[in-house]
């Protein structure tokens, strides 16, 4: 795969580098925050080599890459480097802003928490097998290393929040760090006051919401003092004043408030889990394919992080994810056995291996979402596997995608059966989805090769030049939408005269309000798009004069539109005119480009309908 080429096409698909407000990535997706989401072309994005799918969800344009996400991110980031967002920002809904903020703050936390959590789980597993004493200093030091990310969670949250709000991360960390200073913890434990007001004794280690509230206030203070501070003293005055105001307010008000919010947030989820029991886990597992497909599983991360900070384990989302992930794998492996499509078999095997290790997007977008029977198998496996892990009360002890390599996340020193139940749930989910897919999967009755050999050419048409001028290949048009054939095959013409005529007989189907483009359907059913100039939509109809309307019948050579060629050029626009066949999946298109300039109409395209 050419990552550089695909990266450029992805940027074009999201509206160009100027439309990108920010870019992050998770384990499988590029996550774009865009200035104008209307500029994102999801259909074009899905066709790019290396892209498994594209959705707009959670306040982001999410481009699903799969296992190559890091390499693709680096390639896109290198193209964005040095480019500033200059597009006019689109007003977004409060929901989009909040979701984008939540994902931006919590998503980067996962690798650190997952790495530390798995280390602690592996250590417990080693101790359970008697390979190392949990009383040894080596064990205790390694255990402290694994626990460091969770203990330092307020610091990590301060960094990600500061990065998201684009404020100084080091000063932000210094401000939040006050909450977990050993001397401060000692003072709070003994009872202390600040400005005559009692400071509540709250344990802030492993907490997230106090840090978020603190940095939200810090960001306001930093911007306020930066705006009004004299430049010669800004380097020390701004951080000093921001810390001086933010830290005390956090200790007195925001910290306790964030702690209470976190406790109630976790309590609300646990209340639902307690009262619905295993049903909640089973239902969540069954709907996870749809949540992951739209990116709506990411808002669950704050709950999981907060739950770990409060009770040290999680019994809803992670067990449900185990059932779903392994069901995706089982379905893919069964399809690899049942399918007679070699391309599908290769895709299913690769996606099945990824899902087996907790990465489900390749399976979702490459296999299950494209086939209802496969999706049904995943839901059945997830539902039954989720029921088992819910009934047994399976608990996860670190935030990572549950899979074969991460099974130690379910090790519980006080309950050895927890890891056993995880393994059984793993097996049930895989077996049920595998068997269901073996029975439900149905191959196509006609192979691709047979389909190709039964196609015949009918309704041939010759298309003449729609404008006088020099004909050139689409590949030479300085616009990727046309040059890469995203809209269809065709030709481009550098016009020598401002008139557009019908290249064949047909009916006008579409006239753009800005008059720079129109569409017609030929008598044989081919759908043609004419586009006069590049970016001429910005002229809003100026210099264009339409001579037809939707529904008009036209014959070859009839005048469709006139345009003032010189004024369009003087306005700084490229007048190149494009003619493409947009329903190219149903037509064979042969282009004859001689690149000579002529005022006389001549045949430049031959089209023939393909019918089975």
């Amino acid at each position: 795969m050419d990552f550089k080429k695909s990266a450029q096409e992805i940027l074009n698909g999201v509206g160009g580098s100027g439309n990108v407000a920010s870019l992050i990535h998770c384990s499988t997706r590029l996550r774009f925050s865009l200035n104008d989401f209307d500029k994102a072309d999801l259909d074009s994005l899905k066709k790019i080599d290396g892209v498994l799918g594209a959705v707009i969800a959670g306040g982001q344009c999410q481009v699903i890459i799969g296992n190559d996400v890091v390499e693709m991110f680096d390639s896109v980031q290198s193209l964005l480097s040095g480019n500033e967002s200059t597009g006019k920002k689109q007003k977004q809904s409060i929901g989009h802003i909040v979701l984008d903020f939540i994902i931006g703050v919590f998503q980067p936390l996962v690798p650190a928490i997952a790495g530390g959590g798995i280390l602690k789980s592996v250590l417990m597993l080693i101790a359970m097998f008697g390979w190392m004493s949990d009383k040894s200093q080596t064990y205790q030091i390694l255990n402290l290393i694994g626990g460091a990310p969770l203990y330092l969670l307020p610091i990590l949250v301060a960094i990600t929040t500061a990065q998201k709000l684009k404020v100084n991360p080091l000063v932000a960390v210094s401000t939040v760090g006050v909450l977990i200073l050993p001397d401060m913890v000692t003072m709070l434990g003994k009872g202390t006051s600040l400005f005559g007001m009692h400071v509540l004794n709250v344990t802030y280690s492993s907490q997230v919401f106090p840090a978020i509230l603190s940095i939200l206030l810090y960001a306001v203070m930093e911007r306020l003092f930066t705006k009004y501070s004299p430049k010669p003293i800004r380097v020390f005055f701004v951080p000093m004043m921001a810390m001086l105001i933010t830290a005390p307010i956090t200790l007195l008000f925001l910290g306790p408030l964030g702690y209470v919010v976190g406790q109630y947030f976790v309590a609300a989820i646990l209340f639902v889990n307690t009262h619905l029991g295993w049903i909640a886990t089973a239902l969540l597992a069954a709907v996870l394919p749809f949540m992951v497909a739209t990116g709506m599983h990411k808002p669950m991360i704050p709950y999981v992080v907060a739950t770990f900070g409060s009770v040290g384990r999680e019994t809803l989302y992670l067990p449900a994810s185990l059932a779903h992930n392994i069901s995706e794998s089982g379905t893919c492996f069964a399809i690899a056995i049942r399918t007679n499509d070699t391309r599908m078999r290769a895709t299913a095997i690769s996606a099945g291996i990824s899902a087996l290790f907790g990465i489900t997007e390749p399976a979702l977008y490459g296999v299950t979402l494209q086939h209802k029977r496969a999706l049904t198998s995943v839901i059945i496996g997830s539902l039954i596997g989720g029921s088992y892990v819910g009934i047994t009360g399976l608990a996860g002890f670190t935030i990572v995608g549950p899979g074969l390599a991460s099974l130690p996340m379910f090790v519980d020193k006080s309950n050895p059966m927890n890891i056993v139940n995880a393994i059984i749930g793993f097996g049930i989910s895989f077996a049920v989805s595998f068997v269901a897919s073996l029975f439900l999967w149905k191959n196509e009755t006609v192979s691709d090769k047979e389909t190709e050999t039964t196609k015949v050419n009918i309704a041939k048409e010759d298309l003449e030049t729609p404008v006088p001028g020099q004909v050139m290949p689409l590949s030479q048009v300085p616009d990727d939408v046309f040059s890469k054939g995203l809209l269809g095959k065709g030709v481009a013409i550098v016009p020598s005269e401002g008139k557009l005529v019908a290249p064949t007989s047909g009916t006008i189907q579409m006239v753009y309000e800005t008059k720079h483009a129109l569409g017609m359907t030929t008598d044989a059913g081919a759908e043609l798009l004419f586009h006069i100039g590049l970016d001429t939509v910005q002229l809003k109809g100026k210099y264009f004069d339409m001579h037809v309307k939707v529904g008009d019948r036209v014959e070859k050579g009839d005048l469709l539109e006139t345009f003032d060629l010189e004024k369009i050029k003087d306005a700084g626009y490229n007048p190149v005119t494009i003619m493409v066949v947009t329903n190219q999946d149903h037509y064979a298109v042969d282009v004859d480009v001689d690149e000579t300039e002529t005022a006389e109409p001549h045949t430049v395209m031959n089209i023939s309908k393909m019918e089975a």
Side-chain angles (χ1 to χ4, degrees):
M1 183 194 309
D2 187 340
F3 286 106
K4 185 175 181 181
K5 179 175 180 289
S6 294
Q8 184 60 63
E9 292 175 354
I10 288 172
L11 278 181
N12 295 336
V14 298
S17 58
N19 194 39
V20 178
S22 65
L23 170 64
I24 60 173
H25 75 87
C26 57
S27 56
T28 57
R29 309 180 187 207
L30 301 178
R31 295 174 171 272
F32 291 89
S33 293
L34 303 179
N35 297 322
D36 186 350
F37 284 90
D38 289 338
K39 292 183 178 179
D41 187 341
L42 298 183
D43 291 333
S44 296
L45 287 169
K46 293 174 184 177
K47 297 177 182 177
I48 297 172
D49 183 28
V51 174
L52 299 176
V55 295
I56 293 179
Q60 297 175 324
C61 178
Q62 303 174 15
V63 182
I64 298 91
I65 303 298
N67 297 332
D68 295 322
V69 67
V70 173
E71 291 80 3
M72 191 69 80
F73 173 83
D74 291 340
S75 297
V76 174
Q77 192 65 40
S78 67
L79 294 175
L80 285 173
S81 179
N83 292 331
E84 294 294 332
S85 176
T86 57
K88 182 179 179 181
K89 291 193 175 182
Q90 182 186 49
K91 186 177 180 181
Q92 298 182 32
S93 68
I94 295 298
H96 276 181
I97 294 173
V98 171
L99 278 175
D100 181 59
F101 177 77
I102 289 174
I103 293 172
V105 169
F106 286 93
Q107 182 67 43
L109 299 173
V110 173
I113 298 175
I118 291 294
L119 175 57
K120 288 175 66 70
S121 299
V122 170
L123 284 171
M124 284 191 287
L125 195 62
I126 291 174
M128 287 175 64
F129 281 108
W131 297 338
M132 181 187 298
S133 171
D134 58 3
K135 303 298 182 182
S136 70
Q137 292 183 344
T138 298
Y139 179 94
Q140 292 176 18
I141 290 175
L142 294 177
N143 194 51
L144 287 173
I145 294 173
L150 199 59
Y151 178 83
L152 297 173
L153 201 51
I155 301 298
L156 304 182
V157 170
I159 294 172
T160 59
T161 307
Q163 290 174 335
K164 184 63 180 174
L165 297 176
K166 294 181 173 59
V167 294
N168 191 313
L170 297 181
V171 183
V173 165
S174 301
T175 304
V176 170
V178 172
L179 300 176
I180 59 173
L181 285 173
D183 288 345
M184 181 63 71
V185 172
T186 301
M187 290 181 65
L188 292 177
K190 294 178 179 179
T192 188
S193 61
L194 179 62
F195 302 129
M197 292 179 283
H198 176 67
V199 182
L200 290 178
N201 180 21
V202 175
T203 301
Y204 290 108
S205 60
S206 303
Q207 297 293 314
V208 295
F209 292 104
I212 291 175
L213 293 178
S214 180
I215 301 307
L216 286 171
L217 174 61
Y218 169 78
V220 174
M221 293 297 101
E222 181 184 283
R223 292 188 174 97
L224 177 67
F225 287 108
T226 298
K227 181 177 180 181
Y228 293 105
S229 171
K231 290 183 180 180
I233 63 171
R234 184 180 292 171
V235 65
F236 67 85
F237 183 76
V238 171
M240 179 187 73
M241 294 304 298
M243 291 177 66
L244 183 62
I245 293 175
T246 302
I249 292 178
T250 298
L251 284 168
L252 290 170
F253 306 109
L254 297 181
L257 175 61
Y259 178 79
V260 171
V261 168
Q263 295 301 305
Y264 276 106
F265 180 56
V266 173
I269 301 294
L270 293 178
F271 176 85
V272 174
N273 195 17
T274 300
H275 285 74
L276 290 180
W278 61 271
I279 297 176
T281 308
L283 292 178
L284 179 58
V287 301
L288 270 175
F290 308 100
M291 294 180 66
V292 174
T294 58
M296 292 308 297
H297 64 305
K298 293 301 180 183
M300 293 292 291
I301 295 177
Y303 148 70
V304 178
V305 174
T307 300
F308 275 111
S310 298
V311 298
R313 63 175 64 198
E314 199 280 317
T315 58
L316 176 62
Y317 177 67
L318 293 174
S321 295
L322 174 67
H324 166 241
N325 294 353
I326 305 309
S327 294
E328 292 280 356
S329 180
T331 294
C332 286
F333 281 121
I335 290 174
I337 294 174
R338 291 276 283 114
T339 185
N340 55 16
D341 185 331
T342 55
R343 181 178 296 180
M344 172 58 72
R345 181 176 295 111
T347 299
I349 291 174
S350 174
I353 293 173
S354 293
L356 194 67
F357 287 90
I359 305 299
T360 58
E361 276 86 349
L364 272 167
Y365 290 96
V367 182
T368 57
L369 289 179
Q370 297 184 26
H371 304 278
K372 292 181 180 179
R373 293 173 182 268
L375 182 58
T376 301
S377 302
V378 170
I379 293 173
I380 293 173
S382 299
L383 186 66
I384 296 177
S387 297
Y388 176 81
V389 296
I391 291 172
T392 57
L394 183 66
F397 292 87
T398 189
I399 306 173
V400 66
L404 182 61
S406 57
L407 277 176
M409 67 184 288
F410 296 105
V411 172
D412 184 357
K413 187 176 181 180
S414 63
N415 179 19
M417 280 303 296
N418 196 70
I419 181 64
V420 174
N421 288 328
I423 295 172
I424 295 174
F426 182 110
I428 290 174
S429 301
F430 186 93
V432 171
S433 61
F434 184 87
V435 173
S437 192
L438 284 178
F439 281 99
L440 292 176
W441 180 258
K442 186 177 181 181
N443 288 307
E444 298 294 332
T445 56
V446 181
S447 69
D448 291 340
K449 183 176 180 180
E450 291 173 337
T451 300
E452 289 175 4
T453 58
T454 57
K455 288 183 177 180
V456 295
N457 295 338
I458 65 170
K460 294 183 179 180
E461 281 189 304
D462 293 333
L463 303 184
E464 296 186 344
T465 49
V467 295
Q470 181 179 2
V471 181
M472 66 181 192
L474 275 185
S475 59
Q476 295 183 13
V477 176
D479 185 315
D480 284 347
V481 172
F482 296 111
S483 64
K484 298 184 182 301
L486 299 182
L487 292 180
K489 294 182 179 179
V491 297
I493 303 164
V494 179
S496 58
E497 187 178 345
K499 66 176 183 179
L500 179 74
V501 300
T504 187
S505 301
T507 304
I508 303 299
Q509 296 293 337
M510 175 189 61
V511 175
Y512 276 79
E513 183 180 356
T514 51
K515 303 178 184 179
H516 73 292
L518 72 155
M520 69 174 284
T521 301
T522 70
D523 288 344
E527 297 173 1
L528 304 181
L529 173 68
F530 305 97
H531 195 285
I532 303 172
L534 302 181
D535 297 322
T536 46
V537 63
Q538 299 179 34
L539 290 173
K540 298 180 180 180
K542 192 176 182 180
Y543 310 137
F544 295 95
D545 188 12
M546 193 67 64
H547 295 274
V548 293
K549 62 182 182 298
V550 174
D552 284 356
R553 164 78 185 174
V554 295
E555 302 296 332
K556 180 186 290 189
D558 284 354
L559 183 64
L560 305 179
E561 182 176 4
T562 54
F563 51 96
D564 194 321
L565 182 59
E566 295 305 318
K567 288 185 178 180
I568 291 174
K569 290 180 181 178
D570 292 342
Y573 294 93
N574 186 336
V576 63
T577 300
I578 293 97
M579 176 175 68
V580 294
V581 179
T582 57
N583 57 343
Q584 57 180 324
D585 290 342
H586 303 291
Y587 283 83
V589 180
D590 294 320
V591 179
D592 181 15
V593 177
D594 54 18
E595 298 194 49
T596 59
E597 183 171 344
T598 176
E600 295 299 322
H602 62 283
T603 300
V604 289
M605 290 169 59
N606 305 104
I607 60 175
S608 54
K609 188 174 182 181
M610 305 299 292
E611 189 172 282

